[in-house]
Amino acid sequence: MPRIAICAPSRAITQEDAARVTALAADFPALDLHFHPQCFLEQGHFAGSDAARIDALVASAEDPAFDAVWFARGGYGAVRVAEDAIARMGRNAEAKTFLGYSDGGILLGGLYAKRIGRQVHAPMPTDIRRDGGEAAVRRTLGWLAGDVSGLEPSIDHHPAVAFNLMTLAMLCGTPLMPGLAGHVVMVEDVGEYLYAVDRLFFHVTAHLGGIAGLRLGRISQVPENDAPFGHQAEDIARHWCTRHAIPFLGSADIGHDVDNKIVPFGVATPG
């Protein structure tokens, strides 16, 4: 029976969140979920102090009783703990699957760079709060139980990664940035002005030389600027891909929403 440790490297969830996810998990009897008490701590913006978040993440990764570590929520905070936490991970962490998205991409990227475990862009427990969020949480639970129907449909013979665009921009140029040559890179974002999306693509594409191509997920909840930007998200992505000779491969079914699909890092299908 796969045993899943859930911790919160960024922001906290509530006991109600955990109860609703646990109730859904009853439909997946092959899984055994364990919410670390740290998930419910609150210190300002964060799920407890930096030290508490590091300790919970390392304990979850290093406990041989668990097969996977599922990040409870994004928000902001993983960047404050990622390097110190990863530095403390050893052999037991190498056997783990780590799942999350959004701010959790900081950890996924850093772990992928250090070749620790298996990283997966996937819905998180906090998605239970969205309208229809049960479907998103079920997608991850199903994948953990062996159901591959929730995979992003464009995954092919190239290794792939998926990131929030802002998160990937913050990784670029840091020790946590993995080498992505030969990969299909999928990006999505939420709540950013289109001019900010343009700025992010300017930065990110300068660091993606040698990738197999870029796919654009959903750029959602775009605020209205005082003047129309004049370019939509796909226009922006195409512009910067062309500038850096990166193949633009079209859309990806990922985003900050209930339809967010699963992307295992580095995994390619035969053919």
Side-chain angles (χ1 to χ4, degrees):
M1 173 182 290
R3 303 185 77 235
I4 318 302
I6 301 172
C7 62
S10 303
R11 299 196 67 186
I13 61 170
T14 66
Q15 294 283 356
E16 181 184 3
D17 295 332
R20 292 181 64 192
V21 172
T22 299
L24 280 184
D27 293 336
F28 301 85
L31 303 180
D32 185 14
L33 303 188
H34 292 263
F35 285 85
H36 194 288
Q38 174 269 327
C39 290
F40 314 112
L41 298 179
E42 293 188 57
Q43 182 170 314
H45 176 90
F46 307 106
S49 66
D50 291 352
R53 301 198 317 281
I54 290 169
D55 287 346
L57 177 57
V58 173
S60 299
E62 283 296 301
D63 190 333
F66 293 116
D67 303 288
V69 178
W70 195 10
F71 306 144
R73 183 178 176 183
Y76 173 77
V79 72
R80 295 176 60 94
V81 303
E83 288 188 74
D84 290 343
I86 290 171
R88 286 172 52 184
M89 293 182 189
R91 184 166 298 176
N92 287 331
E94 294 173 2
K96 296 288 190 298
T97 297
F98 296 87
L99 306 98
Y101 75 104
S102 190
D103 193 58
I106 292 288
L107 284 161
L108 299 180
L111 290 162
Y112 195 53
K114 303 301 182 183
R115 300 183 180 181
I116 297 174
R118 182 185 188 190
Q119 298 73 41
V120 183
H121 167 104
M124 297 178 291
T126 192
D127 284 305
I128 199 73
R129 299 179 180 181
R130 301 184 188 277
D131 289 341
E134 294 87 353
V137 176
R138 284 181 181 277
R139 191 172 303 120
T140 299
L141 293 171
W143 187 85
L144 285 165
D147 179 3
V148 299
S149 64
L151 290 174
E152 206 286 328
S154 71
I155 294 173
D156 59 14
H157 61 283
H158 294 99
V161 295
F163 288 101
N164 170 260
L165 181 61
M166 176 66 81
T167 299
L168 180 58
M170 295 303 100
L171 282 170
C172 289
T174 75
L176 297 175
M177 178 66 177
L180 297 177
H183 288 66
V184 171
V185 177
M186 306 181 194
V187 294
E188 54 80 26
D189 217 315
V190 62
E192 297 289 348
Y193 287 98
L194 287 173
Y195 69 78
V197 173
D198 193 67
R199 183 189 294 136
L200 291 168
F201 268 109
F202 155 73
H203 180 65
V204 163
T205 52
H207 291 266
L208 295 182
I211 68 170
L214 183 139
R215 287 189 176 275
L216 181 65
R218 287 176 287 283
I219 306 295
S220 58
Q221 300 178 34
V222 176
E224 185 175 348
N225 196 25
D226 58 351
F229 184 63
H231 303 278
Q232 296 304 307
E234 184 173 324
D235 304 326
I236 294 167
R238 287 183 180 275
H239 171 83
W240 291 107
C241 282
T242 298
R243 192 175 185 91
H244 291 280
I246 294 170
F248 180 75
L249 304 177
S251 64
D253 196 3
I254 60 171
H256 274 63
D257 53 44
V258 298
D259 295 319
N260 186 25
K261 298 301 191 296
I262 293 171
V263 182
F265 279 31
V267 175
T269 58

